[in-house]
Amino acid sequence: MPFSAQPPASGERYALSASLDNARHLSSLLRAVHFQDHATCLATASGLRVTVEDAKCIQANAFIQAEIFQEFSIQEESVMFRISLSVLLDCLTIFGTSSLPGTSTALRLCYRGYGYPLMLFLEEGGVVTVCKINTQEPEELLDFDFCSTKVVNKIILQSEGLREAFAELDMTSEVLQITMSPEKPYFRLSTFGNAGSAHLDYPRDSDLMEAFHCNQTQTNRYKISLLKPSTKALALSCKVSIRTDAQGFLSLQYMIRNEDGQICFVEYYCCPDENITEAEL
Amino acid sequence: LSRIGDELYLEPTESGLSLRAVNSSRSAFASFLFAPLFFQLYEPGSAGPDTELFRCKVHMKSFLGVFRSLPSLEKSVGKCLILLKPRASRLVLQLHCKYGVTKTHNLAFQECERLQAVFDTQRCASRLRAPARLLAEAVVHFPPTLAEVTMGAGPGGKISLRNYVEDEAEPSKTMVTELCLAEDEFQSVAVAPGSHITFCLKEFRGLLSFAEASNLPLTIHFDEPGRPVIFTLDDTVLEVHLVLATLSDLESNSQSPSTNGMSHLPAPSDDFADDLESYMAAMETSEGCSEGPPSPIFPLRTPQPAKSKPQEEDEEDEEEEGAVPGTPPHKKFRSLFFGSVMTAGRPGLATTQEVLAEDSDGES
């Protein structure tokens, strides 16, 4: 959809300016990481990365590559700021969240630089909204130091198989225990709630299993309240990769296909709650 | 069953798996007996000469939590395995789902006494049989909050349903709804003329929705006011009973003041001895209530408080003395007699009040 109203101050240089025909490509992804009020945005030539953290234990990143945008130009090497994710999402969905076929909100995003607010120009059906959101000093982000060379166990599952499981997790359990093993039970999600324990087992030869590379039996526990928000990302995704390293740090990577068929990624990193060697029954 | 009580009693027997529930005031009891043929595999275990088949009870909510979303269950679950592991103190429910996924739930259980309300459909003077749909359509006319309904044989052979209005209710603020069903709408009618009973609608509605969904005809066995009404559903592999206490007509019985209008005190959480104690106490205090010769089926008010549920319960929780609007008044509803059918009629047992901790019923 052509964007009729041009942003003011032609000739001024914006550190970051980007256009998106369908704001939902951005808002749905941001919702998948919206478990805290604030987020840190990092823009580089490759695209936009939005990071949310909690309790110094969990970090979620949403990646929107430059190619997703109709226009993406960045004047500096990188641009980073902290912003209220709740407000950003409210603005992006200012025309409503229900998606009627054929209609979409067009977005133009402009950021002058350090200290300036983030400007959003949103247009739908000829109506234009201009939003100015204050930005803050970016905070230091956690570095989980998780790289593919340190991965001990990795599986890739079709999200369809996990969606219901995550939505129905026994929240009276404090932890979610994940067991990955080259032997039975292969991949197991366990909770220990008020009613008793529950285990969800996925065999390695299941149709849902796209890749299974487990070298070592590992059982790790994670605070369920921290992982529960990842259900949103799971709901949007078609595939998820689950990886753990030697210390039990968990990496969940979700492959999300947007309305136009483009691929984006959301990832969650989580510290283990405690390390145990034997799964509880 | 969850509409009745918030504990589910599981009792495997030779004739099938019995699931039961009772409400806190002991005025409603339901049992579902699934014959061995209902299952692909049924192994009730073996009872020794001294031991009975193992039985237990679990929290209703925990059990229901395993079968959370029915539509998705139907789509994704192929098989369900139920294992009772006494040594591990766990009831295992394992769902075998699509894609080879297995969901295993290990629920904690409590050992319990045998839960059995004493009733005998043969001794009921009146009987009605109708498709569940007929009754469901009739009941829909009553407000969802209505607690009790009176069903009776009306003039001209009609069966009437009418909401029960308390004597204390203000006439100007009360609405009375009465519905009459012709005899030919029922599959069979055998009622004593002029008979009528009043029972709690809420607990009945639960059974009614099950009956409608399973398309089974419902049989209602009833007798005089005060005697329990028994609803049954019969199928080749399933036998369902719902026993509800009914309002007795008058206060003309000779019950001692201590038992009349007794309020339910919070009971010690001593579920083991509950059934036995109430049986023993009932035998002790049986005073020949006016409604006929003392019989084991006779619902007696036991001076022993029934267990009360401190946690949230969506049905009436009779804890207060006075009748709470919408709940069966204490004074008039009797609790169902619970005890062993086998020992019905035996003269009083040793009148000890000692608490038994074993799972022995003490009757045999």
PDB file of all heavy atoms in Angstrom, chain A residues 1-23:
ATOM      1  N   MET A   1       0.853  -1.196   0.000  1.00  0.00           N
ATOM      2  CA  MET A   1       0.000   0.000   0.000  1.00  0.00           C
ATOM      3  C   MET A   1       0.877   1.229   0.000  1.00  0.00           C
ATOM      4  O   MET A   1       1.766   1.359   0.831  1.00  0.00           O
ATOM      5  CB  MET A   1      -0.853   0.013   1.267  1.00  0.00           C
ATOM      6  CG  MET A   1      -2.296  -0.366   0.967  1.00  0.00           C
ATOM      7  SD  MET A   1      -3.242  -0.394   2.472  1.00  0.00           S
ATOM      8  CE  MET A   1      -4.056   1.162   2.393  1.00  0.00           C
ATOM      9  N   PRO A   2       0.655   2.128  -0.930  1.00  0.00           N
ATOM     10  CA  PRO A   2       1.536   3.310  -1.010  1.00  0.00           C
ATOM     11  C   PRO A   2       1.329   4.186   0.223  1.00  0.00           C
ATOM     12  O   PRO A   2       0.234   4.325   0.740  1.00  0.00           O
ATOM     13  CB  PRO A   2       1.071   4.021  -2.281  1.00  0.00           C
ATOM     14  CG  PRO A   2      -0.302   3.494  -2.549  1.00  0.00           C
ATOM     15  CD  PRO A   2      -0.358   2.138  -1.972  1.00  0.00           C
ATOM     16  N   PHE A   3       2.377   4.709   0.677  1.00  0.00           N
ATOM     17  CA  PHE A   3       2.343   5.544   1.871  1.00  0.00           C
ATOM     18  C   PHE A   3       2.241   6.998   1.440  1.00  0.00           C
ATOM     19  O   PHE A   3       3.169   7.556   0.864  1.00  0.00           O
ATOM     20  CB  PHE A   3       3.599   5.304   2.694  1.00  0.00           C
ATOM     21  CG  PHE A   3       3.493   5.867   4.070  1.00  0.00           C
ATOM     22  CD1 PHE A   3       2.944   5.115   5.091  1.00  0.00           C
ATOM     23  CD2 PHE A   3       3.921   7.160   4.346  1.00  0.00           C
ATOM     24  CE1 PHE A   3       2.840   5.644   6.368  1.00  0.00           C
ATOM     25  CE2 PHE A   3       3.810   7.687   5.616  1.00  0.00           C
ATOM     26  CZ  PHE A   3       3.269   6.932   6.632  1.00  0.00           C
ATOM     27  N   SER A   4       1.106   7.603   1.701  1.00  0.00           N
ATOM     28  CA  SER A   4       0.856   8.933   1.141  1.00  0.00           C
ATOM     29  C   SER A   4       1.522  10.051   1.941  1.00  0.00           C
ATOM     30  O   SER A   4       2.233  10.874   1.393  1.00  0.00           O
ATOM     31  CB  SER A   4      -0.639   9.175   1.030  1.00  0.00           C
ATOM     32  OG  SER A   4      -1.302   8.669   2.168  1.00  0.00           O
ATOM     33  N   ALA A   5       1.321  10.056   3.259  1.00  0.00           N
ATOM     34  CA  ALA A   5       1.858  11.163   4.040  1.00  0.00           C
ATOM     35  C   ALA A   5       3.333  10.953   4.305  1.00  0.00           C
ATOM     36  O   ALA A   5       3.729   9.978   4.939  1.00  0.00           O
ATOM     37  CB  ALA A   5       1.095  11.278   5.363  1.00  0.00           C
ATOM     38  N   GLN A   6       4.155  11.820   3.841  1.00  0.00           N
ATOM     39  CA  GLN A   6       5.594  11.684   4.045  1.00  0.00           C
ATOM     40  C   GLN A   6       5.989  12.261   5.390  1.00  0.00           C
ATOM     41  O   GLN A   6       5.394  13.226   5.866  1.00  0.00           O
ATOM     42  CB  GLN A   6       6.354  12.431   2.934  1.00  0.00           C
ATOM     43  CG  GLN A   6       6.333  11.699   1.600  1.00  0.00           C
ATOM     44  CD  GLN A   6       6.894  10.292   1.737  1.00  0.00           C
ATOM     45  OE1 GLN A   6       7.980  10.090   2.268  1.00  0.00           O
ATOM     46  NE2 GLN A   6       6.143   9.326   1.264  1.00  0.00           N
ATOM     47  N   PRO A   7       6.941  11.718   6.046  1.00  0.00           N
ATOM     48  CA  PRO A   7       7.401  12.283   7.323  1.00  0.00           C
ATOM     49  C   PRO A   7       8.005  13.666   7.068  1.00  0.00           C
ATOM     50  O   PRO A   7       8.554  13.914   6.002  1.00  0.00           O
ATOM     51  CB  PRO A   7       8.447  11.285   7.808  1.00  0.00           C
ATOM     52  CG  PRO A   7       8.851  10.526   6.589  1.00  0.00           C
ATOM     53  CD  PRO A   7       7.713  10.536   5.665  1.00  0.00           C
ATOM     54  N   PRO A   8       7.880  14.543   8.053  1.00  0.00           N
ATOM     55  CA  PRO A   8       8.365  15.918   7.838  1.00  0.00           C
ATOM     56  C   PRO A   8       9.891  15.986   7.819  1.00  0.00           C
ATOM     57  O   PRO A   8      10.565  14.969   7.957  1.00  0.00           O
ATOM     58  CB  PRO A   8       7.799  16.669   9.043  1.00  0.00           C
ATOM     59  CG  PRO A   8       7.674  15.627  10.096  1.00  0.00           C
ATOM     60  CD  PRO A   8       7.371  14.344   9.402  1.00  0.00           C
ATOM     61  N   ALA A   9      10.384  17.163   7.730  1.00  0.00           N
ATOM     62  CA  ALA A   9      11.828  17.434   7.781  1.00  0.00           C
ATOM     63  C   ALA A   9      12.584  16.645   6.727  1.00  0.00           C
ATOM     64  O   ALA A   9      13.422  15.791   7.040  1.00  0.00           O
ATOM     65  CB  ALA A   9      12.364  17.132   9.190  1.00  0.00           C
ATOM     66  N   SER A  10      12.278  16.924   5.479  1.00  0.00           N
ATOM     67  CA  SER A  10      13.024  16.261   4.398  1.00  0.00           C
ATOM     68  C   SER A  10      14.447  16.812   4.399  1.00  0.00           C
ATOM     69  O   SER A  10      14.672  17.981   4.682  1.00  0.00           O
ATOM     70  CB  SER A  10      12.357  16.559   3.055  1.00  0.00           C
ATOM     71  OG  SER A  10      12.136  17.947   2.946  1.00  0.00           O
ATOM     72  N   GLY A  11      15.349  15.957   4.115  1.00  0.00           N
ATOM     73  CA  GLY A  11      16.739  16.392   4.106  1.00  0.00           C
ATOM     74  C   GLY A  11      17.440  16.101   5.426  1.00  0.00           C
ATOM     75  O   GLY A  11      18.658  16.012   5.483  1.00  0.00           O
ATOM     76  N   GLU A  12      16.652  15.943   6.478  1.00  0.00           N
ATOM     77  CA  GLU A  12      17.287  15.610   7.750  1.00  0.00           C
ATOM     78  C   GLU A  12      17.698  14.163   7.749  1.00  0.00           C
ATOM     79  O   GLU A  12      16.991  13.326   7.205  1.00  0.00           O
ATOM     80  CB  GLU A  12      16.296  15.850   8.891  1.00  0.00           C
ATOM     81  CG  GLU A  12      16.343  17.267   9.399  1.00  0.00           C
ATOM     82  CD  GLU A  12      15.788  17.353  10.795  1.00  0.00           C
ATOM     83  OE1 GLU A  12      16.159  16.508  11.638  1.00  0.00           O
ATOM     84  OE2 GLU A  12      14.971  18.255  11.026  1.00  0.00           O
ATOM     85  N   ARG A  13      18.819  13.916   8.376  1.00  0.00           N
ATOM     86  CA  ARG A  13      19.257  12.529   8.389  1.00  0.00           C
ATOM     87  C   ARG A  13      18.725  11.798   9.608  1.00  0.00           C
ATOM     88  O   ARG A  13      18.828  12.277  10.724  1.00  0.00           O
ATOM     89  CB  ARG A  13      20.789  12.461   8.388  1.00  0.00           C
ATOM     90  CG  ARG A  13      21.366  12.775   7.019  1.00  0.00           C
ATOM     91  CD  ARG A  13      22.852  12.924   7.083  1.00  0.00           C
ATOM     92  NE  ARG A  13      23.444  12.241   8.208  1.00  0.00           N
ATOM     93  CZ  ARG A  13      24.489  11.418   8.099  1.00  0.00           C
ATOM     94  NH1 ARG A  13      25.010  11.180   6.913  1.00  0.00           N
ATOM     95  NH2 ARG A  13      24.992  10.854   9.168  1.00  0.00           N
ATOM     96  N   TYR A  14      18.174  10.681   9.347  1.00  0.00           N
ATOM     97  CA  TYR A  14      17.719   9.829  10.425  1.00  0.00           C
ATOM     98  C   TYR A  14      18.729   8.707  10.593  1.00  0.00           C
ATOM     99  O   TYR A  14      19.183   8.125   9.617  1.00  0.00           O
ATOM    100  CB  TYR A  14      16.347   9.233  10.111  1.00  0.00           C
ATOM    101  CG  TYR A  14      15.217  10.207  10.324  1.00  0.00           C
ATOM    102  CD1 TYR A  14      14.789  11.056   9.304  1.00  0.00           C
ATOM    103  CD2 TYR A  14      14.594  10.285  11.566  1.00  0.00           C
ATOM    104  CE1 TYR A  14      13.767  11.954   9.523  1.00  0.00           C
ATOM    105  CE2 TYR A  14      13.568  11.174  11.787  1.00  0.00           C
ATOM    106  CZ  TYR A  14      13.153  12.015  10.759  1.00  0.00           C
ATOM    107  OH  TYR A  14      12.136  12.907  10.977  1.00  0.00           O
ATOM    108  N   ALA A  15      19.053   8.440  11.848  1.00  0.00           N
ATOM    109  CA  ALA A  15      19.986   7.340  12.087  1.00  0.00           C
ATOM    110  C   ALA A  15      19.391   6.030  11.584  1.00  0.00           C
ATOM    111  O   ALA A  15      20.079   5.161  11.067  1.00  0.00           O
ATOM    112  CB  ALA A  15      20.290   7.232  13.583  1.00  0.00           C
ATOM    113  N   LEU A  16      18.086   5.938  11.753  1.00  0.00           N
ATOM    114  CA  LEU A  16      17.403   4.724  11.299  1.00  0.00           C
ATOM    115  C   LEU A  16      16.080   5.125  10.680  1.00  0.00           C
ATOM    116  O   LEU A  16      15.319   5.888  11.278  1.00  0.00           O
ATOM    117  CB  LEU A  16      17.157   3.774  12.487  1.00  0.00           C
ATOM    118  CG  LEU A  16      16.178   2.603  12.246  1.00  0.00           C
ATOM    119  CD1 LEU A  16      16.748   1.585  11.288  1.00  0.00           C
ATOM    120  CD2 LEU A  16      15.831   1.921  13.587  1.00  0.00           C
ATOM    121  N   SER A  17      15.801   4.651   9.499  1.00  0.00           N
ATOM    122  CA  SER A  17      14.454   4.819   8.964  1.00  0.00           C
ATOM    123  C   SER A  17      14.091   3.560   8.195  1.00  0.00           C
ATOM    124  O   SER A  17      14.918   2.979   7.478  1.00  0.00           O
ATOM    125  CB  SER A  17      14.338   6.073   8.095  1.00  0.00           C
ATOM    126  OG  SER A  17      14.955   5.883   6.858  1.00  0.00           O
ATOM    127  N   ALA A  18      12.860   3.152   8.384  1.00  0.00           N
ATOM    128  CA  ALA A  18      12.421   1.889   7.775  1.00  0.00           C
ATOM    129  C   ALA A  18      10.943   1.976   7.449  1.00  0.00           C
ATOM    130  O   ALA A  18      10.186   2.675   8.128  1.00  0.00           O
ATOM    131  CB  ALA A  18      12.667   0.730   8.748  1.00  0.00           C
ATOM    132  N   SER A  19      10.535   1.260   6.410  1.00  0.00           N
ATOM    133  CA  SER A  19       9.116   1.195   6.049  1.00  0.00           C
ATOM    134  C   SER A  19       8.666  -0.241   5.942  1.00  0.00           C
ATOM    135  O   SER A  19       9.420  -1.100   5.467  1.00  0.00           O
ATOM    136  CB  SER A  19       8.856   1.830   4.675  1.00  0.00           C
ATOM    137  OG  SER A  19       9.329   3.119   4.635  1.00  0.00           O
ATOM    138  N   LEU A  20       7.449  -0.448   6.382  1.00  0.00           N
ATOM    139  CA  LEU A  20       6.879  -1.794   6.368  1.00  0.00           C
ATOM    140  C   LEU A  20       5.442  -1.675   5.892  1.00  0.00           C
ATOM    141  O   LEU A  20       4.661  -0.908   6.435  1.00  0.00           O
ATOM    142  CB  LEU A  20       6.942  -2.346   7.799  1.00  0.00           C
ATOM    143  CG  LEU A  20       6.798  -3.838   8.051  1.00  0.00           C
ATOM    144  CD1 LEU A  20       7.781  -4.633   7.243  1.00  0.00           C
ATOM    145  CD2 LEU A  20       7.004  -4.095   9.534  1.00  0.00           C
ATOM    146  N   ASP A  21       5.105  -2.444   4.862  1.00  0.00           N
ATOM    147  CA  ASP A  21       3.741  -2.358   4.330  1.00  0.00           C
ATOM    148  C   ASP A  21       2.710  -2.894   5.305  1.00  0.00           C
ATOM    149  O   ASP A  21       1.554  -2.475   5.319  1.00  0.00           O
ATOM    150  CB  ASP A  21       3.645  -3.166   3.022  1.00  0.00           C
ATOM    151  CG  ASP A  21       4.158  -2.364   1.832  1.00  0.00           C
ATOM    152  OD1 ASP A  21       4.435  -1.161   2.018  1.00  0.00           O
ATOM    153  OD2 ASP A  21       4.284  -2.941   0.748  1.00  0.00           O
ATOM    154  N   ASN A  22       3.108  -3.863   6.056  1.00  0.00           N
ATOM    155  CA  ASN A  22       2.173  -4.513   6.977  1.00  0.00           C
ATOM    156  C   ASN A  22       2.789  -4.522   8.372  1.00  0.00           C
ATOM    157  O   ASN A  22       3.687  -5.305   8.652  1.00  0.00           O
ATOM    158  CB  ASN A  22       1.886  -5.938   6.504  1.00  0.00           C
ATOM    159  CG  ASN A  22       0.776  -6.602   7.310  1.00  0.00           C
ATOM    160  OD1 ASN A  22       0.358  -6.092   8.348  1.00  0.00           O
ATOM    161  ND2 ASN A  22       0.307  -7.740   6.834  1.00  0.00           N
ATOM    162  N   ALA A  23       2.301  -3.636   9.214  1.00  0.00           N
ATOM    163  CA  ALA A  23       2.863  -3.502  10.563  1.00  0.00           C
ATOM    164  C   ALA A  23       2.743  -4.791  11.373  1.00  0.00           C
ATOM    165  O   ALA A  23       3.493  -5.004  12.326  1.00  0.00           O
ATOM    166  CB  ALA A  23       2.183  -2.360  11.300  1.00  0.00           C
TER     167      ALA A  23
END
